[in-house]
Amino acid sequence: MTQQQSLPSIVTLTEIEEIVSTDSFALDLIDAIKKGFVSYSNGGFNACPIQTMGAPPMAPFSGRGNSSSSSDDDDGNYQAQTCVKSGYVTGASHYVIKVASGGHPFPNNSGLMQLYSQSTGKLETILLDEGILTELRTAAVGALAAQLLAPSVLMAENNGDGCCVGMLGTGIQARYQLQCLAHVIKCRNVTVWGRTKENVQQYIKDMTAEGWNVSSVDTPQDLLTSCSLIVTTTSSREPLLKYTAADNSIKHPLHITCIGSDATGKMELDPKLAATADLLVADCSIQTAERGEFEDALKQQLVELDSVVDLGKFIEREELHRKRDGKDDDCRLTIFDSSGVAVQDCVIAAMVNEALVQREVPM
């Protein structure tokens, strides 16, 4: 007789939201992501090649959402993609496969995370998160970068000159970034740029309700002259933040966290801007050669790959962190590029799974 096998546990979005919606979870996540990247850089994490479907160089998906024509592709608005990331921590209980979909013309983000036992290979848990765990773990690494590299003015409560976060983009991740940043910086001034007036106005309304002082600018370039921290969250395939040799208007000190360029061909920064930086950090330096914000700078030989520091190694090299002791002026332009690594998915999936296990333990 065939032995009947138990089905995997299926965790709903509502159950997941109950776990991740606390301040303590966000703080624990930032710390766990930090430890995860150190483990990754030291060989303790095993990452599989990333799969990206629906985006160049692949053909676009055939669906058009509610549209009956192909105009979404023709007018350049098509941004849909599905990303599959997978991997495991050596010696951990599970390996994880994450599927996340999003981008126009998809009506909403979607996704799930699958946890398989490293002992049996059996699928044990499915987290039906609809993509929010990907949003959260992405925002957490942005907060981690700010924790280590944001200029000191952002850490003060007096809102002095330069105390301003620049947000490039108005979408879901632009919201999550501020929510996580609130745990690591004290500045609450935000300047936002978005492609449409309606999106900017809605963003201002939403984030003002969360306690931020939000204003807008007419061009992305304005962020470079007024902000000490800039976070880029768009799906652009051409530079939005530009640089010329004669440009001396960029504010220093300045840190830029690049989030949007998560697939081959995407870019938000002028490669020349990356080339002028005093420090380049990437979640995965090898990965950044094929996707991410330094891709073009490397191809144009404006930047050498060995000048890009892996995040895990950077965390351990405290001499590279932003100096905030008041003794020395740390006026560097620093750039962190996150194209997304499976270690982030494994970390947040393990945290949610552990929280579920703790709930089942009788008191």
Side-chain angles (χ1 to χ4, degrees):
M1 295 179 64
T2 302
Q3 185 177 4
Q4 186 176 4
Q5 295 184 345
S6 60
L7 295 175
S9 299
I10 298 177
V11 186
T12 67
L13 176 59
T14 299
E15 293 173 293
I16 293 169
E17 288 178 328
E18 289 176 357
I19 293 170
V20 305
S21 60
T22 65
D23 288 343
S24 61
F25 184 91
L27 288 166
D28 290 344
L29 176 61
I30 294 168
D31 186 58
I33 290 285
K34 181 178 181 179
K35 293 175 181 176
F37 271 105
V38 171
S39 175
Y40 180 39
S41 290
N42 291 331
F45 182 79
N46 307 274
C48 301
I50 299 171
Q51 292 178 280
T52 304
M53 295 176 280
M58 288 190 168
F61 292 132
S62 58
R64 294 293 181 272
N66 295 323
S67 173
S68 59
S69 70
S70 61
S71 60
D72 289 325
D73 294 290
D74 297 339
D75 66 9
N77 287 334
Y78 178 91
Q79 299 292 347
Q81 67 177 39
T82 293
C83 183
V84 181
K85 290 185 169 78
S86 55
Y88 57 97
V89 176
T90 301
S93 57
H94 295 89
Y95 61 91
V96 175
I97 300 175
K98 187 277 296 284
V99 181
S101 301
H104 183 78
F106 289 163
N108 299 294
N109 287 354
S110 183
L112 56 80
M113 293 189 180
Q114 307 165 50
L115 283 75
Y116 294 80
S117 167
Q118 286 198 36
S119 299
T120 66
K122 179 183 176 181
L123 174 60
E124 293 189 340
T125 306
I126 301 174
L127 304 176
L128 297 177
D129 70 299
E130 295 297 345
I132 70 162
L133 294 181
T134 296
E135 301 288 355
L136 278 169
R137 61 76 148 159
T138 303
V141 80
L144 173 60
Q147 190 178 60
L148 301 175
L149 284 170
S152 58
V153 67
L154 297 162
M155 305 300 174
E157 294 179 342
N158 59 10
N159 290 339
D161 181 50
C163 178
C164 185
V165 177
M167 188 61 65
L168 193 67
T170 58
I172 296 172
Q173 184 57 210
R175 289 162 165 76
Y176 276 104
Q177 283 291 326
L178 283 191
Q179 289 168 3
C180 273
L181 277 174
H183 297 291
V184 297
I185 66 172
K186 294 181 179 179
C187 175
R188 291 297 181 267
N189 299 325
V190 180
T191 301
V192 62
W193 176 86
R195 287 191 175 91
T196 70
K197 183 178 180 180
E198 293 76 17
N199 288 347
V200 169
Q201 289 176 338
Q202 188 62 52
Y203 185 85
I204 292 175
K205 178 181 178 181
D206 293 345
M207 302 321 295
T208 298
E210 295 191 17
W212 296 87
N213 307 311
V214 191
S215 60
S216 64
V217 290
D218 295 328
T219 71
Q221 210 67 12
D222 293 331
L223 300 178
L224 286 170
T225 63
S226 60
C227 301
S228 298
L229 167 64
I230 299 174
V231 184
T232 69
T233 65
T234 77
S235 55
S236 178
R237 290 185 175 272
E238 60 182 27
L240 296 175
L241 295 178
K242 300 178 181 179
Y243 176 83
T244 64
D247 192 350
N248 60 0
S249 62
I250 297 176
K251 188 173 185 64
H252 290 277
L254 171 63
H255 173 67
I256 304 175
T257 291
C258 305
I259 298 295
S261 299
D262 59 353
T264 300
K266 288 186 178 182
M267 62 188 310
E268 300 176 284
L269 302 189
D270 186 333
K272 296 184 182 67
L273 184 58
T276 64
D278 300 292
L279 175 66
L280 300 177
V281 181
D283 50 10
C284 175
S285 60
I286 296 176
Q287 185 171 296
T288 203
E290 64 179 34
R291 63 179 65 217
E293 208 53 66
F294 306 146
E295 178 188 355
D296 268 38
L298 289 165
K299 288 180 179 178
Q300 295 177 32
Q301 298 183 333
L302 299 173
V303 169
E304 297 293 330
L305 185 58
D306 60 8
S307 69
V308 180
V309 184
D310 275 303
L311 177 58
K313 296 298 184 184
F314 166 74
I315 291 168
E316 294 184 305
R317 295 182 60 183
E318 294 186 7
E319 74 275 11
L320 295 179
H321 298 183
R322 181 77 63 179
K323 296 177 179 63
R324 305 191 184 107
D325 56 13
K327 297 179 181 179
D328 299 305
D329 291 330
D330 190 341
C331 292
R332 291 178 296 168
L333 166 60
T334 59
I335 302 176
F336 169 63
D337 177 45
S338 173
S339 54
V341 181
V343 66
Q344 298 162 261
D345 303 305
C346 287
V347 165
I348 196 167
M351 288 180 64
V352 172
N353 192 56
E354 178 61 23
L356 290 166
V357 171
Q358 292 298 321
R359 286 185 174 190
E360 294 174 358
V361 176
M363 299 299 291

Coordinates of all heavy atoms in Angstrom, one line a residue, residues 257-292:
T257 N 20.9 54.7 -2.1 CA 20.5 53.3 -2.1 C 19.7 53.0 -3.3 O 18.7 53.6 -3.5 CB 19.7 53.0 -0.8 OG1 20.6 53.0 0.3 CG2 19.2 51.5 -0.9
C258 N 20.2 52.1 -4.1 CA 19.5 51.8 -5.4 C 18.8 50.4 -5.3 O 19.4 49.4 -5.0 CB 20.6 51.7 -6.5 SG 21.6 53.1 -6.7
I259 N 17.5 50.5 -5.5 CA 16.6 49.3 -5.3 C 16.0 48.9 -6.5 O 15.8 47.7 -6.7 CB 15.5 49.7 -4.2 CG1 16.1 50.0 -2.9 CG2 14.5 48.6 -4.1 CD1 16.8 48.9 -2.2
G260 N 15.7 49.7 -7.5 CA 14.8 49.4 -8.6 C 15.4 48.5 -9.7 O 14.7 47.8 -10.4
S261 N 16.8 48.6 -9.8 CA 17.4 47.8 -10.9 C 17.7 46.4 -10.5 O 18.8 46.0 -10.2 CB 18.7 48.5 -11.3 OG 18.5 49.8 -11.7
D262 N 16.6 45.6 -10.6 CA 16.7 44.2 -10.1 C 16.7 43.2 -11.3 O 16.6 42.0 -11.1 CB 15.5 43.9 -9.2 CG 14.2 44.1 -9.9 OD1 14.1 44.6 -11.0 OD2 13.1 43.7 -9.3
A263 N 16.9 43.7 -12.5 CA 16.9 42.8 -13.7 C 17.9 43.4 -14.7 O 18.1 44.6 -14.7 CB 15.5 42.6 -14.3
T264 N 18.4 42.6 -15.6 CA 19.3 43.0 -16.7 C 18.7 44.1 -17.5 O 17.5 44.1 -17.9 CB 19.6 41.8 -17.6 OG1 20.2 40.8 -16.8 CG2 20.5 42.3 -18.7
G265 N 19.4 45.2 -17.6 CA 19.0 46.3 -18.5 C 18.3 47.5 -17.7 O 18.2 48.6 -18.2
K266 N 17.9 47.2 -16.5 CA 17.3 48.3 -15.7 C 18.4 49.2 -15.2 O 19.5 48.8 -14.8 CB 16.5 47.7 -14.5 CG 15.2 47.1 -14.9 CD 14.4 46.7 -13.7 CE 13.0 46.0 -14.0 NZ 12.3 45.7 -12.8
M267 N 18.1 50.5 -15.1 CA 19.1 51.4 -14.5 C 18.4 52.7 -14.1 O 17.5 53.2 -14.8 CB 20.2 51.7 -15.5 CG 19.7 52.4 -16.8 SD 21.0 52.5 -18.1 CE 22.3 53.2 -17.2
E268 N 18.8 53.3 -13.0 CA 18.3 54.6 -12.5 C 19.4 55.6 -12.4 O 19.1 56.8 -12.3 CB 17.6 54.4 -11.2 CG 16.4 53.4 -11.2 CD 15.8 53.1 -9.9 OE1 16.4 52.4 -9.1 OE2 14.7 53.7 -9.6
L269 N 20.6 55.2 -12.3 CA 21.8 56.1 -12.2 C 22.6 56.2 -13.5 O 22.8 55.2 -14.2 CB 22.7 55.7 -11.1 CG 22.3 55.5 -9.7 CD1 23.5 55.2 -8.8 CD2 21.5 56.7 -9.2
D270 N 23.1 57.4 -13.8 CA 24.0 57.6 -14.8 C 25.3 56.8 -14.4 O 25.8 56.9 -13.3 CB 24.4 59.0 -15.0 CG 25.3 59.4 -16.1 OD1 26.1 58.5 -16.6 OD2 25.2 60.5 -16.6
P271 N 25.8 55.9 -15.3 CA 27.0 55.2 -15.0 C 28.2 56.1 -14.5 O 29.0 55.7 -13.7 CB 27.4 54.4 -16.3 CG 26.1 54.3 -17.0 CD 25.3 55.5 -16.7
K272 N 28.2 57.3 -15.1 CA 29.3 58.2 -14.7 C 29.1 58.7 -13.2 O 30.1 59.0 -12.5 CB 29.3 59.5 -15.6 CG 29.6 59.2 -17.0 CD 29.6 60.5 -17.8 CE 29.9 60.3 -19.3 NZ 28.8 59.6 -20.0
L273 N 27.9 58.7 -12.7 CA 27.7 59.0 -11.3 C 28.2 57.9 -10.4 O 28.9 58.2 -9.4 CB 26.2 59.2 -11.0 CG 25.8 59.6 -9.6 CD1 26.4 60.9 -9.3 CD2 24.2 59.7 -9.5
A274 N 28.0 56.6 -10.8 CA 28.6 55.5 -10.1 C 30.1 55.6 -10.1 O 30.8 55.3 -9.1 CB 28.1 54.2 -10.7
A275 N 30.7 56.0 -11.2 CA 32.1 56.1 -11.4 C 32.8 57.2 -10.5 O 34.0 57.1 -10.1 CB 32.5 56.4 -12.8
T276 N 32.0 58.2 -10.1 CA 32.5 59.3 -9.3 C 32.4 59.0 -7.8 O 33.0 59.7 -6.9 CB 31.8 60.6 -9.5 OG1 30.4 60.5 -9.1 CG2 31.9 61.0 -11.0
A277 N 31.7 57.9 -7.4 CA 31.5 57.6 -6.0 C 32.8 57.2 -5.3 O 33.7 56.6 -5.9 CB 30.5 56.4 -5.9
D278 N 32.8 57.5 -4.0 CA 34.0 57.2 -3.2 C 33.9 55.7 -2.7 O 34.9 55.1 -2.3 CB 34.1 58.1 -2.0 CG 34.2 59.6 -2.4 OD1 35.3 59.9 -2.9 OD2 33.2 60.3 -2.2
L279 N 32.7 55.2 -2.7 CA 32.5 53.8 -2.2 C 31.3 53.2 -2.9 O 30.2 53.8 -3.0 CB 32.3 53.7 -0.7 CG 32.0 52.4 -0.1 CD1 33.2 51.4 -0.2 CD2 31.6 52.5 1.4
L280 N 31.5 52.0 -3.5 CA 30.5 51.2 -4.1 C 30.3 49.9 -3.4 O 31.2 49.2 -3.2 CB 30.8 50.9 -5.6 CG 31.0 52.1 -6.5 CD1 31.4 51.6 -7.9 CD2 29.7 53.0 -6.6
V281 N 29.0 49.7 -2.9 CA 28.7 48.4 -2.2 C 27.6 47.8 -2.9 O 26.6 48.4 -3.4 CB 28.3 48.7 -0.8 CG1 28.0 47.4 0.0 CG2 29.4 49.5 0.0
A282 N 27.6 46.5 -3.1 CA 26.5 45.7 -3.7 C 26.2 44.5 -2.9 O 27.0 44.0 -2.1 CB 27.0 45.2 -5.1
D283 N 24.9 44.1 -2.9 CA 24.5 42.9 -2.2 C 25.3 41.7 -2.6 O 25.6 40.8 -1.8 CB 23.0 42.7 -2.2 CG 22.4 42.7 -3.6 OD1 23.1 42.7 -4.6 OD2 21.1 42.8 -3.7
C284 N 25.6 41.7 -3.9 CA 26.4 40.6 -4.5 C 27.2 41.1 -5.6 O 26.7 41.5 -6.7 CB 25.5 39.4 -4.9 SG 26.4 38.1 -5.8
S285 N 28.5 41.3 -5.5 CA 29.4 41.9 -6.5 C 29.4 41.1 -7.8 O 29.5 41.7 -8.9 CB 30.8 42.1 -5.9 OG 31.4 40.9 -5.6
I286 N 29.4 39.8 -7.7 CA 29.4 39.0 -8.9 C 28.1 39.2 -9.7 O 28.1 39.4 -10.9 CB 29.6 37.5 -8.6 CG1 31.0 37.3 -7.9 CG2 29.4 36.7 -9.8 CD1 31.2 35.9 -7.5
Q287 N 27.0 39.2 -8.9 CA 25.7 39.4 -9.5 C 25.5 40.8 -10.2 O 24.8 41.0 -11.2 CB 24.6 39.3 -8.5 CG 23.1 39.3 -9.0 CD 22.2 38.9 -7.9 OE1 22.2 37.8 -7.4 NE2 21.3 39.8 -7.4
T288 N 26.2 41.8 -9.6 CA 26.1 43.2 -10.1 C 26.7 43.4 -11.4 O 26.4 44.4 -12.1 CB 26.7 44.2 -9.1 OG1 26.1 45.4 -9.2 CG2 28.2 44.3 -9.2
A289 N 27.5 42.4 -11.9 CA 28.0 42.5 -13.3 C 27.0 42.2 -14.3 O 27.1 42.6 -15.5 CB 29.2 41.6 -13.4
E290 N 25.9 41.5 -14.0 CA 24.9 41.1 -14.9 C 23.6 41.7 -14.7 O 22.7 41.7 -15.6 CB 24.7 39.6 -14.9 CG 24.2 39.0 -13.6 CD 24.0 37.5 -13.6 OE1 24.9 36.8 -14.3 OE2 23.1 37.0 -13.0
R291 N 23.3 42.3 -13.6 CA 22.1 43.0 -13.2 C 22.4 44.0 -12.1 O 23.3 43.8 -11.3 CB 21.0 42.1 -12.8 CG 21.2 41.3 -11.6 CD 20.1 40.4 -11.2 NE 19.9 39.3 -12.2 CZ 18.7 38.9 -12.6 NH1 17.6 39.4 -12.1 NH2 18.7 37.9 -13.6
G292 N 21.6 45.1 -12.1 CA 21.8 46.0 -11.0 C 22.4 47.4 -11.5 O 22.7 47.5 -12.7

